[in-house]
Amino acid sequence: MSVEFLTYAALGARLNISAAAARSLARRLHLPRSLSEDGKALVSVDLAEVRHTPHPPGGHRAGEAVQLRAMIVTLQAEIVQLEARAAGNRADFEHERERADRLIAEVLQATAETTAAREATARLEGEVAALRAAVRTGSSDENHGHSARRVGHVAASLVEADRRASRG
């Protein structure tokens, strides 16, 4: 419990550490410092209050450094493998995206053709219904000529629709 004034070298010797480590410890603990008559720094310290356990010598840390370097090399190799896998996945993604774009274009084309076919079917059904109504209402020669023309239009419409379907 007594306060002592020690140089960094003396503090290091008491704590079994180097003078540089003692200086660093004094800074970390905010120990009061002053200068001696010969210009050396003195640290005011109560050694009973300082709880410091020195680290093992650098030889043990060298083994840790070798292990860490080996781990770094392993992780770098793993990064290279993951980047290669990511590039392959990206290529697969781009291929599937192009395929999806082509399929969407085909679906849009089929939808347009289906809509056109439905419209043509509705128009032809309307013409057939009109012909049937005309046949039911009378069979005069004038009506017969008109019906024949309408049948010709229906036949022409069917042929045109068939040609469009065979082109698409």
Side-chain angles (χ1 to χ4, degrees):
M1 300 257 187
S2 65
V3 174
E4 298 180 46
F5 290 95
L6 302 171
T7 63
Y8 293 127
L11 179 61
R14 292 289 257 322
L15 296 175
N16 200 16
I17 58 175
S18 68
R23 182 172 188 259
S24 177
L25 179 65
R27 283 186 174 201
R28 265 196 323 263
L29 297 176
H30 303 287
L31 298 176
R33 291 175 294 198
S34 61
L35 288 177
S36 66
E37 292 178 6
D38 60 351
K40 291 186 176 182
L42 295 175
V43 180
S44 173
V45 62
D46 183 0
L47 290 174
E49 291 183 13
V50 174
R51 287 176 175 66
H52 177 73
T53 54
H55 290 289
H60 296 289
R61 287 196 171 174
E64 290 176 7
V66 170
Q67 288 176 340
L68 290 175
R69 284 189 199 106
M71 188 181 291
I72 288 171
V73 169
T74 303
L75 291 174
Q76 286 174 337
E78 191 173 330
I79 287 171
V80 168
Q81 290 174 346
L82 290 173
E83 286 174 343
R85 191 181 312 161
N89 289 343
R90 183 66 183 180
D92 290 345
F93 169 77
E94 291 298 331
H95 172 73
E96 291 300 322
R97 182 176 175 185
E98 290 171 5
R99 187 170 154 248
D101 289 344
R102 284 192 308 269
L103 289 173
I104 287 174
E106 289 177 15
V107 166
L108 290 174
Q109 178 65 31
T111 302
E113 290 173 2
T114 302
T115 302
R118 282 184 182 151
E119 290 172 356
T121 301
R123 184 175 39 79
L124 291 174
E125 286 175 350
E127 289 182 20
V128 168
L131 284 173
R132 284 184 182 153
V135 168
R136 277 191 224 132
T137 57
S139 60
S140 67
D141 286 337
E142 182 183 308
N143 227 0
H144 182 69
H146 184 62
S147 296
R149 274 185 302 210
R150 288 189 98 168
V151 168
H153 288 307
V154 169
S157 295
L158 286 172
V159 169
E160 183 62 30
D162 188 45
R163 285 184 184 153
R164 277 192 226 132
S166 65
R167 278 187 246 147

